[in-house]
Amino acid sequence: MILTRNRLGLFRFVLYGHAVLVMAFLLLPIIFIALLSFGSSRWMMFPPPEWTLRWYEELATDPRWAEAMWLSLRLALIVTVLSVLLGGAAAFALVRGRFAGRRVLKAFFVAPMIVPVVIVAIALYAFSLKVGLNGTFAGFVAGHLIIAVPFSVICISNSLRGFDPALEQAAAICGAGRLETLRRVTIPSIAPGLLAAAVFSFLASWDEVVVSIFMASPQLQTLPVRMWTSLRSDLTPVIAAASTLLVLASLILMALLGLSATRAGRSKMQ
Amino acid sequence: MNAAATSGTFREARAAWPAIAFLFVFFALPVGALMLRSVTDPQWGLQNFSDLLATGTYARVLFNTFLVAAVVTLMSLLIGYPLAWLLVMLPARWQQVLLAILLMSMWTSLLARTYAWLVLLQKTGVINRILLSVGVIDAPLPLVNNLTGVVIGMTYIMLPFVVLPLRATLATLDPALMHAGAVCGASPWRLFRSVLLPLSLPGIGAAGLMVFVMSLGYYVTPALLGGTGNMMLAELIAQTVQSFLNWGLGAAAALVLLCATLALYALHMRYLDEDA
Amino acid sequence: MKMDTPLPAVRLMDLHKRYGDFAAVDGVSLDVRKGEFLTFLGSSGSGKTTTLNMIAGFDDPTSGQILLNGGAVTGLPPQKRNIGMVFQRYTLFPHMTVAENVGFPLSVRRLSKDEVNSRVLDALRLVQLDRFAGRRPSQLSGGQQQRVALARALVYEPQLLLMDEPLGALDKKLREEIQIEIRKLHHRLGVTILYVTHDQEEALRMSDRIAVFEHGRIVQVGSGEDLYHCPATAFVAGFIGNSNFLRGSVAERRSDAAIVKLGENSAVCVPVDAVGGVGSEVRIMIRPEEIKLSHALSDAAGAVIPVTVRERIFLGDTISYEVATRDGQSVLVREDRARNQGRCVGPGTDAYMHIAINQNRVYKKY
């Protein structure tokens, strides 16, 4: 009865109203920032007196912002590739291997997700100071990779678990070598998992703040670090423009993921 | 296990080595070294921990951290439970729409969302201006740069982490159980109290612990929305190391945070195991 | 209605339930007597469960009335109907012990602790599970869980007990055991039981009366014997027991009887009002055990049809044959081994099939 919507009587409207409010709570701040990024008021008046692209122009032309964006993009792409490679191999070992301590290894791979990121950040900061990684591109890659690899391991493990290894044996019987089997049978079968791993790795790097703050130097700053430092001085609408870009990237990637999930779901049904 | 699976054992395990090596060098080793510094820096001993407990500031930060985490957990459960409950009753189409919004919110830039709240909550922000023009208040409310701001922002960020696991728990319940209860003569309120709520407890426990653990170590949102007077633990650790260069004390605070996190996480896993 | 007729325990009056264009229940009217064991029999989607859910109050009828003990219950929520119900899945509360599950309806009714305890014990004794009072449902077998559900449904002595395919999840042996147990309980307690099943054997074994559902309607209500011997429609005939349908066409209509041709060279006499005009199709239902096979023509009453034996299967107490008529219709025959003794009709041989035409089993359409 109370798990059946139309038997709840008037109370269901209370639940509907609550859901609408929560959805508004979740969506409105994002929409609000996107709107403000097009407003002309430097003091973020709402509703804006006029509409303008000024802040986006500043974002693209001010070298400090433009370089930060460029660094973030390069970083996210490299981290994505490395994360899928490392995480994919690790997931393969976790799912296919039958060795003692597999549970411990799995816990080790997801540990960076559980350990508070501020601890990861200052630990890596101390380490980087010793080996001279601080303020270098390689240091950023290492830091973001720590955050991204657990997502890859989880996504690809889930996908591999749903893939029958007998298909690989079948390919081998058909005469395919190990590499060819991997390329033509295994990888296409776990493509949705690989895509998810790539998307989450990209977003993990693209959005990363805490590790980056400690890794950054005045010369080398990612977009979130740049936002963070200017946030501490003032609330300039350029930050709203940068935020909108970050949100847009997440939206596009999540939509891509959703699309591939529905396509996979549909082909499974057929 | 069949023979084919066992024969491939070690060859397949080798694929894990690059990830193990990487995480060992850049994650396990640095974290371990940092933890060690809590008892070696500046000299061997438990000096850092007694400093941590003796100084009023640190004790207050610890208290603040646990208080905020508890309030955020409670708020997100109170807001999230009715939503999760509704979610399992909605037709599949609407479920998908709401889930898409939740997931999108969860994966949208944390910094951008926190920034949005900073703008919304400030003295001249939209929320204060609306409240003023409606006449509910006479002077702007201090909604940001204090614990209120932290709680609002963190609840906002934690909501999806409560709703998604709660929904998973509620979805496993058989609606026929509620039919059985109703036939037995239980009123809807009694059904909720005696059947639905007790059966959701494992989900509430798991989701609540998860959010509590995450809240304890949160850095970005408290640092931006909180005030300088009432820091949280993560911010304190960062500041002690970065501004005061007191590595020993920072490491000691980090060790406290890490232990609390791991202990609560272990409890969380126990919950999940019992559930399964 | 006579004055001394007691009020029916349940009266359904022209009940309809529509989901959009689909009529799940399409005009059901029925009286269930007090103390009766009545079964709703039908395949899935026939409307039997929807009807039961409306009686329980989980669903509101689109139109029509439900009376319990003479009082209308439309709009009354389930918790106010004082009905007991056993579900297909056991639906015991997993977080409560067996005793707490059975005591739940009593504590909801605010009975004293002592009263609850003693009645729970009584109810558990009734289903022979008093030793398991402290266990959790998950520690019991499927059959035990369903007996706990039964105890929970009976403990508050409801006027009416609804059972929605309660044995569907159990294996055959256990099912038969609990069927007998439920039957005994019914005799002992005199409670009115409405039972839903798609299993005709279960329906025959347990019920005083059976209501056969098809496409949201009740096509026939009667005792098992009524339904078996005088099925109202070909559907009922096909649903209950094994049956053969012989195809034929009306060759001649007289004032007292009609002649139906079965194949090329055999014909039978049937009541004239059971068939259509000359040339129209007819189905005649014959139970497998009502057919006799022999090598010789006998002068017994009824029709004689020449057949070829295709297969003979020995089943212990009976022997089953599959035979074919000259125009290729396949017919199932079952003979007692005792009756069959001495005669051996082997596969491939020609024989005669002796049938008695029951006038109630001639149908215009299938």
Side-chain angles (χ1 to χ4, degrees), chain B residues 174 182-186 188 194, chain C residues 79 83 89 92 95 107-109 156:
Chain B
D174 185 354
V183 158
C184 285
S194 301
Chain C
Q79 64 266 25
I83 290 175
R89 287 157 295 168
L92 296 177
H95 59 299
S107 75
V108 162
R109 288 170 172 73
Y156 49 103

Side-chain angles (χ1 to χ4, degrees), chain A residues 32-56 58 234-241, chain B residues 115 119 122 124-126 129:
Chain A
F32 174 76
I33 280 305
L35 285 178
L36 272 188
S37 73
F38 296 103
S40 61
S41 160
R42 165 159 279 280
W43 313 113
M44 322 231 15
M45 299 260 286
F46 194 87
E50 265 176 90
W51 302 103
T52 175
L53 286 175
R54 210 178 114 200
W55 313 117
Y56 287 91
E58 198 171 316
D234 71 313
L235 295 181
T236 164
V238 185
I239 305 173
Chain B
Y115 167 68
V119 176
Q122 59 182 319
T124 54
V126 174
R129 289 234 307 280

Side-chain angles (χ1 to χ4, degrees), chain C residues 1-8:
Chain C
M1 203 193 284
K2 276 185 285 176
M3 283 307 290
D4 57 342
T5 311
L7 281 171

Side-chain angles (χ1 to χ4, degrees), chain B residues 1 78 88 103 109 142 154 160 177 253 261:
Chain B
M1 286 307 114
L78 282 178
V88 297
L103 281 172
S109 165
M154 299 256 296
L177 273 179
T261 302

